[in-house]
Amino acid sequence: MDNRPIGIFDSGIGGLTLATAIIRVLPNERLVYFGDTAHLPYGDKSVESIKDYSFRIAQFLKDQGCKAMLIACNTASSIAFESVSIRYDIPIYNVIDPVTDWVTKFYAGKKVGVIGTKGTIGTKVYEHRLLASDPSMIVVEKATTLLASMIEEGFHNDTISEAVIQAYLEDTQFVNLDAIIPACTHYPLISDQIHTFFEGKVDVVDAPKIVADFIKTDLENKALLATSSDSNHKFFVSDKTIAFEKATKIFFGEELHLEEHRFSVQ
C-alpha cells in the first residue's frame, strides 16, 4: 500500500469541499491542497493561462511527493485535465468524469440541469459527455457567475444567497428537472438552498461524495490506499490574506494554517 499524500488543487478554496469529502471517505489519507488564490477565479481566464497555472501547480504537488492528484476545479478539469495527465505517471483525477458517469447511470432518459461558472459552462463539457453516454437525456445548462464569488464572500444560507439563487434558477429552462448538477466546487455549500428552491422535487447531485467514492475505488484497485492514519494535511495558497485564511472556515469547518507559495513570473 502507499502512505504518500493525495494532491488536490483548485483556483481558490472551493476545492476544500472535495478535500472534506475525501477525508470522510478515506480517513487514512493525507492531503496536500493548493489553492491558486493569486489567479482566482479561473472561470474568466484564457485557456492558455489555465493550462499554465495547472501545469505549475501539478508540478508543485508532484514535488511534494503526491501519489495521485485531483484537479478539483471544474474549469481546470474541462480545459487542462488531458494535458496534465499526459505529463505524469501517477493517477490524475478530475471532477467531471465521475459525476457524468454517475448521472447517466441513475438518470437515463431524464432531464438534467447543470450550473457552473462561465468558463465551465462555456466548454459544454457536461452536456457533451452526458449526451455522448445517453442521447435520450435532456441537458440544460446555465452560467451562474455570481454564485462562487457570493459564497467566497460568506453569503450562503441567508436571504442574499436565496435571492441570487432564485434569480438564476427561476429560468424557464429548469422547469420539470429531474436532477441538477452543481458544477462548481463552491456550490455544495448552497445545495440545501437549491433543494429548497425546487421544493424538494429535484435531486441535487452530491458531486464531492461521488468524486471521493470514485477515487477510493480507483486507489484500492491500484493498491495505493494508505495503511495508517495521518492527519498532517498541508494547505498551500499562491496568495495569502487574513480574510482568505478566515474564509476557509466556511468550507472546512475550522480555520486552517495556510502556507504561501508564489510561482516565479515567466
Side-chain angles (χ1 to χ4, degrees), residues 90-109:
I90 61 174
I92 309 291
Y93 306 108
N94 65 65
V95 292
I96 299 172
D97 292 335
V99 174
T100 53
D101 289 346
W102 188 91
V103 169
T104 53
K105 179 180 179 181
F106 290 98
Y107 295 95

Side-chain angles (χ1 to χ4, degrees), residues 26-233:
L26 292 165
N28 287 345
E29 299 295 337
R30 181 163 51 97
L31 306 182
V32 178
Y33 182 92
F34 193 99
D36 192 12
T37 51
H39 301 111
L40 65 83
Y42 279 7
D44 58 2
K45 299 295 189 298
S46 68
V47 169
E48 293 75 16
S49 293
I50 292 170
K51 285 186 176 181
D52 179 55
Y53 304 151
S54 298
F55 291 148
R56 295 194 196 192
I57 298 169
Q59 185 59 54
F60 174 79
L61 293 175
K62 187 66 166 59
D63 292 342
Q64 294 292 309
C66 293
K67 64 184 176 185
M69 200 179 306
L70 169 63
I71 303 177
C73 171
N74 277 269
T75 303
S77 287
S78 63
I79 291 173
F81 170 69
E82 291 184 6
S83 299
V84 171
S85 298
I86 293 171
R87 291 196 175 194
Y88 301 99
D89 58 354
I90 61 174
I92 309 291
Y93 306 108
N94 65 65
V95 292
I96 299 172
D97 292 335
V99 174
T100 53
D101 289 346
W102 188 91
V103 169
T104 53
K105 179 180 179 181
F106 290 98
Y107 295 95
K110 303 294 186 178
K111 183 177 181 180
V112 176
V114 184
I115 55 174
T117 66
K118 182 167 56 177
T120 298
I121 298 302
T123 65
K124 291 191 171 294
V125 62
Y126 278 89
E127 180 181 355
H128 291 159
R129 295 187 187 183
L130 290 170
L131 293 181
S133 297
D134 180 13
S136 68
M137 183 179 287
I138 299 173
V139 181
V140 291
E141 298 185 313
K142 186 178 183 70
T144 48
T145 310
L146 293 178
L147 291 181
S149 299
M150 174 190 77
I151 293 168
E152 291 221 6
E153 290 296 325
F155 297 107
H156 61 99
N157 298 321
D158 57 20
T159 54
I160 293 176
S161 56
E162 183 179 315
V164 177
I165 290 168
Q166 179 178 343
Y168 280 126
L169 299 186
E170 63 184 3
D171 192 318
T172 55
Q173 70 173 335
F174 290 139
V175 172
N176 297 323
L177 283 182
D178 293 290
I180 187 164
I181 302 173
C184 175
T185 54
H186 294 71
Y187 295 0
L189 291 176
I190 56 171
S191 289
D192 288 344
Q193 284 188 291
I194 295 173
H195 191 261
T196 298
F197 173 82
F198 287 114
E199 300 178 341
K201 299 176 182 177
V202 177
D203 295 333
V204 182
V205 175
D206 187 351
K209 176 66 163 56
I210 293 168
V211 173
D213 286 340
F214 177 86
I215 292 174
K216 178 182 180 180
T217 299
D218 192 65
L219 291 179
E220 189 171 25
N221 291 338
K222 291 180 168 66
L224 290 174
L225 289 177
T227 56
S228 60
S229 178
D230 182 354
S231 60
N232 186 28
H233 309 300

